[in-house]
Amino acid sequence: MNWNLEKGINWEKGAAWIRSQLPDIYFHQEVQPGQLDQLSELLGMDGYIAVPLPGSSNDNAIFLRRNGPLAFVEEYEQSWAPWHAPANIAVKLRDADGTLSPRQVSCVSGHACYWSADHRLTEAQWCSTLAKPGWIGIHFWDWNSYRIGEGGPWEGYTDRAFVANRTYIEGGRRHTDDRPDRELLDAGYVEMARQAAQHLGQSAALNPSTGYRSRPGRPEGLDHCIDRGYLSAELAPALTSFVVCDTPRLRRISDHLPLRAEFCLAELRTILHRPAQTYQPHDNRHAGTGNQAPSPVRNGEGM
């Protein structure tokens, strides 16, 4: 599950609904100060929150089901971020006998900068660091930007600040900001909604996730899909379903709709037990061959 739960306003109702869905992992944006422990208790999950940065109190977090199939391995502080730091943990799949998969999945919950297209591009470019050959990652973000071919037209907006926030200047004119989407696809990621629509016959997976609340200076209508999930191409065969959860109740709780992705456990197990050729640096200073280049190793993983 993924949900940008609007500034923690209805966080208790949101947490109760998420708990009813029984997710194994939950990506959450806009966690407020002091809410992590309470959210963890209401969800019945263990929470991992991003390192706080100056300037905003809306933080990103990831929650894991206690004693579920995904086991926490390590947490990474991404304090380089220009706005909100993404939450980033690594997990492994727990088999029935309690052993963990040899390969791990890098999980990222993020909230891209709403006021700077350049910051959003930087945030998307960072995601490519988790797309190296043999690495496996899942990203859920509020991207505050659009898929290729979506967003705009902007003529109906009198909220000029919003238009400036969601576009970038190139060649002397403004363009709808789809650069994060382009960057992630170019890095080799697969967007889950596209995968479900194109290969699983689930066209509703592409439904908008926000835009249904009236905002001064913006046209009425549900026409934005800024909440999106991406995964490494190697994981794509395991995806069985992707849904933008949309009910009147969920619209009342937040200005974003939750996303739900389901995976085939058997296929996921196959992938995470499959040997992978990856690069892992090592120190040759004591080997007497100082000019020898590090060689690839099997099953080495980073973040």
Side-chain angles (χ1 to χ4, degrees), residues 147-161:
R147 292 189 186 106
I148 298 168
E150 297 183 353
W154 302 106
E155 290 75 17
Y157 289 76
T158 58
D159 183 350
R160 303 307 301 168

Side-chain angles (χ1 to χ4, degrees), residues 62-75:
I62 300 175
F63 296 85
L64 288 178
R65 182 154 68 88
R66 293 166 184 160
N67 302 312
L70 298 177
F72 171 80
V73 175
E74 195 166 358
E75 184 174 17

Side-chain angles (χ1 to χ4, degrees), residues 19 47 70 73 83 106-107 112-113 133 154 173 176 191 210 225 229 234 244 250 255 269-270 278 289 301 303:
R19 182 165 184 157
L70 298 177
V73 175
W83 194 46
S106 300
C107 302
C113 183
W154 302 106
R173 67 184 185 90
T176 297
E191 193 212 341
T210 190
C225 188
E234 194 173 357
V244 180
L250 295 174
D255 57 347
R269 182 175 291 111
T270 297
T278 63
T289 55
E301 294 240 18
M303 288 181 288

Side-chain angles (χ1 to χ4, degrees), residues 88-196:
N88 178 199
I89 65 172
V91 301
K92 289 188 174 185
L93 186 64
R94 182 183 287 112
D95 290 332
D97 61 1
T99 61
L100 302 183
S101 61
R103 300 176 70 186
Q104 64 189 34
V105 183
S106 300
C107 302
V108 182
S109 174
H111 192 301
C113 183
Y114 79 88
W115 48 265
S116 172
D118 289 340
H119 283 350
R120 291 194 292 270
L121 182 57
T122 296
E123 290 162 333
Q125 289 169 334
W126 169 79
C127 294
S128 68
T129 68
L130 305 183
K132 293 176 170 57
W135 291 24
I136 298 176
I138 293 180
H139 296 259
F140 274 105
W141 290 60
D142 171 354
W143 281 107
N144 279 315
S145 58
Y146 305 92
R147 292 189 186 106
I148 298 168
E150 297 183 353
W154 302 106
E155 290 75 17
Y157 289 76
T158 58
D159 183 350
R160 303 307 301 168
F162 181 79
V163 175
N165 294 159
R166 292 294 176 88
T167 60
Y168 65 95
I169 298 176
E170 186 175 274
R173 67 184 185 90
R174 287 199 171 271
H175 302 265
T176 297
D177 187 22
D178 60 10
R179 294 186 301 179
D181 186 44
R182 293 179 185 274
E183 190 73 20
L184 289 159
L185 297 179
D186 286 348
Y189 288 110
V190 172
E191 193 212 341
M192 290 181 237
R194 284 186 177 102
Q195 176 73 10

